Amino acid sequence: MLGYPDMVDIENAKDVVKSACMKRLGFSYTPELMGTQPAASYNEMNMERRYGITDPAKAAAHGFAVAQDTGGPSQADQDAELAREDQESSAEGWDKAMNDTCIPEANQKVGVILPEDPAGDLAGQSLKATRSRPDVQRALSTWSSCMAGHGHQVKSMDEAEGRFGQPGRTGVRPEKAEVSLATADVTCKGTAGLVPTWYQAETAYQNKQITSHKAQLEAAKARDALLLKKARAVLASVSTGR
């Protein structure tokens, strides 16, 4: 899988190409370059929350919500960026130039992220398939019994998190009931040994997936390497002024 900094390089390189293309056609396109620090909730495998919330400090402070990323742009900065985008794209012929010429040019010079995603597809399959394994089911059952012992009648982790809206939300002060449920969730995962059990099951399952899909995964890896090579060549040409 492509890491976040790799994806940033690719998107930034494509924006460089699109900016030059639009300038050549008489239009303005000056996007803010993506930073190298992902949002708090970002991870292609979602490892931090792959098996639900697992950090007791975060559960106590934020419930099921993701802690707000204080290093990101302010609301005023975001509003200013949207206003700038609206002003640029309002020019007559802007959309046609971007969609018909500059996006295709960027795709040709750099490439397209994930035209197909065999690694991501396999990762999704492994999580679903291993959930039904006897050892994982036993751990989930122990987790549910532990939750009942803490006064929370929930049949699944999805049900627990779903009681308080979207767990991916940020900067929300949780209710006491949410904190109670989230901290119990983390505690009971530890009691049940749920995370290491499920992780080990997925590791074994994915090793088999890698073996049986080796050619497909190697082709995807080579494609991504070429994509990154093109992207970094574009970025290097800008930084060196060539």
Side-chain angles (χ1 to χ4, degrees), residues 155-177:
K155 295 181 180 179
S156 70
M157 296 185 298
D158 291 340
E159 180 186 345
E161 293 192 357
R163 289 187 178 182
F164 296 94
Q166 297 298 318
R169 68 198 190 283
T170 60
V172 177
R173 184 180 296 277
E175 304 172 21
K176 289 183 179 179

Side-chain angles (χ1 to χ4, degrees), residues 80-109:
E81 174 67 9
L82 288 173
R84 182 200 57 73
E85 291 174 358
D86 288 342
Q87 182 177 8
E88 286 186 350
S89 61
S90 65
E92 184 177 353
W94 192 97
D95 287 338
K96 181 174 176 60
M98 175 62 79
N99 294 325
D100 293 356
T101 303
C102 296
I103 289 177
E105 185 172 315
N107 291 342
Q108 190 275 325
K109 288 187 176 180

Side-chain angles (χ1 to χ4, degrees), residues 120-143:
D121 292 342
L122 293 173
Q125 292 170 19
S126 73
L127 183 65
K128 183 177 180 180
T130 53
R131 181 189 291 267
S132 61
R133 277 187 45 146
D135 51 349
V136 176
Q137 282 295 304
R138 284 193 297 271
L140 286 167
S141 179
T142 301
W143 170 85

